[in-house]
Amino acid sequence: MTDALPLTTWLEALLAVAALGAALALRPWRMLQGGLLTPALAALALLPWFWLLPQKLPQGLAVQFSGACLLLLMLGWPLAVPVLALVALAVWALGSAGGVAVLSQFVWVGLVPATVALGIGAALRRWLPPNLFIYTLGRGFLGTAVAVFAAGVLYELAYHLLGGNTLHDALVARWLMAWGDAFLTGLFTAVFVAFAPQWLATWSDARYLRPPGG
C-alpha cells in the first residue's frame, strides 16, 4: 500500500491545473503566429537544463534559476504558463526527480514567480508612468527579484524546512538567488528592448517610447 500524498502536493496540483486551465482558455497559441515562436522554442530548448541544475548539485539548498519572470515578459502570462509546463515535463523526462518533485518545481519555480511578476507589472502600469527605465528596471530587474523571492518565501513557509536548514538560513539563500535571477532577467530585458523588441509580448513602442506629454 502506497503512502498518501501530502496536502502540499494536492494543493500544488490544484494550482497547476487551475493555472493551466485559465491560460489555455485564453488560446495563447494564437500569439505564436507573431514573433513569439522563436523565444518560446528557445525557452523549451534551454530552460529545462537550468531547472535540472539542482539535481546535479550536492544535496541541500540547491542553486535554482527560475527564468519564469523573463518568460513572462517575453511571452505574456497565458503563453508562459503552458511553456513552463512543457519545461517541467522535459525536466521529468530528462532528470531523475519524481513526478511530485517536478510538480513542486513547476509551481514554485515557474508558476508562482510568473504570476507574482504579472501582478507587479500590472501595479507598475497602473501607478507609474510608461517609461523605458521603469519597464527594464521595474519589471525586468527589481520586479523579478521581488517575484522570485516572494515565491521562495511562500515555498519555505509551506514546507517549513528544506534540507535541514533553518527557515532563516533558507530565506537568506532565497534572497541571494532571487538577485541572481533578477540580474539575468534585467540584462536580457534591456538587450531585447534594444535589439529584439518583437520578442517581448509585454513591450510596446507606442507606450514606452512616446515623447513626454504625448
Side-chain angles (χ1 to χ4, degrees):
M1 181 177 179
T2 59
D3 295 333
L5 293 175
L7 177 60
T8 50
T9 299
W10 287 108
L11 292 176
E12 289 165 356
L14 180 62
L15 286 173
V17 171
L20 279 171
L24 294 176
L26 297 173
R27 296 186 291 171
W29 52 85
R30 295 177 298 172
M31 302 178 67
L32 296 174
Q33 299 175 358
L36 299 183
L37 179 60
T38 297
L41 293 177
L44 290 174
L46 298 176
L47 198 53
W49 302 107
F50 288 99
W51 282 28
L52 282 167
L53 183 61
Q55 299 183 28
K56 308 301 180 181
L57 296 175
Q59 293 297 316
L61 188 61
V63 175
Q64 174 71 73
F65 174 73
S66 168
C69 296
L70 178 60
L71 204 61
L72 170 77
L73 295 176
M74 294 170 66
L75 304 181
W77 190 87
L79 184 56
V81 170
V83 169
L84 287 168
L86 292 176
V87 169
L89 286 176
V91 171
W92 176 71
L94 297 172
S96 57
V100 171
V102 173
L103 171 63
S104 182
Q105 191 176 29
F106 166 65
V107 170
W108 299 107
V109 178
L111 179 59
V112 174
T115 305
V116 174
L118 176 68
I120 292 173
L124 292 177
R125 287 173 62 91
R126 173 66 177 83
W127 299 108
L128 294 180
N131 183 277
L132 167 65
F133 295 102
I134 290 175
Y135 180 84
T136 55
L137 295 178
R139 298 197 67 176
F141 184 66
L142 296 177
T144 297
V146 173
V148 174
F149 180 64
V153 170
L154 292 173
Y155 174 87
E156 298 298 343
L157 292 177
Y159 283 87
H160 297 292
L161 297 174
L162 182 64
N165 297 296
T166 65
L167 182 60
H168 175 268
D169 291 340
L171 293 182
V172 170
R174 293 284 179 181
W175 175 250
L176 296 175
M177 286 190 290
W179 285 105
D181 233 290
F183 175 79
L184 291 176
T185 301
L187 174 64
F188 280 110
T189 300
V191 170
F192 291 156
V193 166
F195 299 105
Q198 70 276 12
W199 288 1
L200 293 167
T202 56
W203 170 265
S204 169
D205 286 351
R207 174 177 174 82
Y208 292 105
L209 297 181
R210 65 184 180 185

